[in-house]
Amino acid sequence: MNEALLRQLVPAVIGVLVRRGADFASAEDAVQEALIRALDSWPQDPPRDPKGWLVAAAWRKFLDATRAETSRRGRELAVELEPPAGPVPADDDTLRLYFLCAHPTLPQGSAVALTLRAVGGLTTRQIAAAYLVPEATMAQRISRAKRRIAGASFDQPGDLATVLRVLYLVFNEGYGGHVDLAAEAIRLTRQLVALTAEPEVSGLLALMLLHHARRASRTGPGGRLVPLAEQDRTRWDTGLITEGVAILQAALARDRLGEYQAQAAIAALHADAQTAAETDWAQIVEWYDELLLLTGSPVVRLNRAVAVGEAQGPRAGLAALADVSPDLPRYAAVTAYLCERSGDLERAADLYAEAARAATSVPERDHLTREAARVRQLLRR
Amino acid sequence: MKYLLLKHYRGGPTPAVDYPPMDRWTPEEVDAHLQFMRDFAARLEETGEFVETQALLTEGAFVRSGGPGQPPVTDGPFAETKDLIAGWYVIDVESWDRAVELAGELSAAPGPGGKPICEWLEVRPFFAAAPAE
């Protein structure tokens, strides 16, 4: 049994413990300890019924912990709540676990960490490594998050929109250490798709798959950023693209459009183009219009200006920037690009340099610095 | 023994070489510089002397307490006037001499025309862990 398969069992096992009367925080702790034991002993001694093994081990851990806390109460619990013999019920409370971990009262960072642990089954050490913080720090964040939702009922969870936002956050964190958070987010979103019939969940999964398909081509040697137009499209993962498009089409057919479906539609149109020049920018602009209606987001407005610039020419793109706030991240970079295309190289170079100074990641800064250098070289010719 | 190699946007001794900001180099010069930085870190990892490296955004400010019940007081940003830290490397090496040697190598990163930029780097030793009783 591989680790991913083992982790898949975690939310169901927490659900069983909670249904048997454990509070969420203790159940989660107990399952973590059982999980660490399983990772340790299963390679030599694989159980016949993995889920049953985990439930039994976690339940023992839970009882031990409860006994240690108050020995008298613990003994009573142990008698009262001794699990019935026989197979573990197949249905689980995984969906409610998703909602609980993404509870609206939790700060986003805590919701992400808790989701990775309780639903994703990652150990605190793995989550800490992914976020490049010390394990003790991550342990604190997680226990604080659990304390915070201690009063939240397992039956009155948060909303789906928050769950989707948390999963998308995980996806966008990328990867560090041994845990690939993008792949983890896809795994969890797949699980969520199986649990709900909401088209936006499928929309988010499609979006992740379509982005993920381009991942290998997004960076060059030494982590250098490669912009979409320059990416080697033969390196795109056609399997993921086909799957993403199929999931998206099924979701769109349900006729309940949401922002993730609209974003996935844009990603699908990019994926569909054999070369950058064949991109159907007119249709992309239409999807940005939909997205703007759905979200009213200034970032969408900014990205729409890029699409307008491609579909109707750089001057139209610059005109579309008129009602976008210059304070937005990437505003200077977008303006620089449109200026360059419209032939205003002087302004483009200055704006690329300005964008580089304001960049929030090293690869982005290096890329924009190089763009400024490139345009200035054109000017010198 | 751990050392901090501190890179400054400005500040420190008078620059030895006067070079324009990187966005005024040629794209090839930019690439060569960035490649040098990556190679430097990779080489340190190979020798087991690499600990970490971080880059910092230029923006920032000085902040101090505004007193009980008051919001903190900020001063700055000073992007145009004061010394700014651009980022750092932490290395773990045998000796001070080795730290100085590596700082010298890093400072020789290529700039315009492939010539070393010879930027000043601040080298600072870390305190050791408390001695065992």
Side-chain angles (χ1 to χ4, degrees), chain A residues 164-165 167-169 171-172 182 185-186 189 193 199-215 218 240-241 243-249 251 258-271 288 291:
Chain A
L164 296 183
R165 199 171 319 126
L167 290 174
Y168 199 35
L169 273 178
F171 181 79
N172 283 321
I186 288 175
T189 309
V193 166
E200 267 295 84
V201 184
S202 299
L204 178 62
L205 178 59
L207 177 62
M208 287 177 177
L209 293 172
L210 290 165
H211 279 334
H212 207 53
R214 298 201 292 253
R215 180 161 139 183
R218 278 181 53 204
L240 285 182
I241 290 174
E243 191 193 352
V245 168
I247 291 171
L248 172 67
Q249 277 167 347
E259 53 177 309
Y260 294 114
Q261 292 170 77
Q263 281 193 62
I266 293 167
L269 285 166
H270 284 301
Y288 272 119
L291 202 48

Side-chain angles (χ1 to χ4, degrees), chain A residues 329-337 348-361 364-369 371-372, chain B residues 57:
Chain A
R330 290 190 57 244
Y331 179 90
V334 166
T335 316
Y337 177 72
D350 286 345
L351 283 167
Y352 275 129
E354 183 190 323
R357 282 192 294 276
T360 51
S361 83
E364 194 188 341
R365 181 196 63 190
D366 292 348
H367 171 69
L368 291 166
T369 303
E371 292 292 276
Chain B
L57 287 169

Side-chain angles (χ1 to χ4, degrees), chain A residues 245-327:
Chain A
V245 168
I247 291 171
L248 172 67
Q249 277 167 347
L252 288 175
R254 313 259 311 272
D255 210 18
R256 291 213 326 266
L257 188 64
E259 53 177 309
Y260 294 114
Q261 292 170 77
Q263 281 193 62
I266 293 167
L269 285 166
H270 284 301
D272 200 34
Q274 296 295 312
T275 65
E278 284 170 62
T279 308
D280 186 348
W281 287 104
Q283 238 199 103
I284 290 180
V285 171
E286 283 172 23
W287 278 110
Y288 272 119
D289 289 338
E290 294 276 6
L291 202 48
L292 206 50
L293 284 175
L294 287 164
T295 65
S297 148
V299 176
V300 170
R301 217 179 279 275
L302 180 66
N303 292 334
R304 183 182 169 277
V306 178
V308 169
E310 299 290 350
Q312 300 157 30
R315 287 190 191 286
L318 286 167
L321 276 179
D323 52 352
V324 181
S325 160
D327 297 335

Side-chain angles (χ1 to χ4, degrees), chain A residues 221-222 353 357 359-360 362 366 369-370 372-374 376-377 380, chain B residues 9 22-28 30-31 34 38 55-58:
Chain A
R357 282 192 294 276
T360 51
V362 172
D366 292 348
T369 303
R370 201 181 180 285
R374 181 180 56 74
R376 285 201 208 287
Q377 195 176 38
R380 282 196 292 268
Chain B
Y9 283 112
M22 213 194 270
D23 59 84
R24 292 180 181 273
W25 304 1
T26 69
E28 293 72 29
V30 173
D31 287 345
L34 297 175
R38 284 194 287 271
L56 297 176
L57 287 169
T58 47

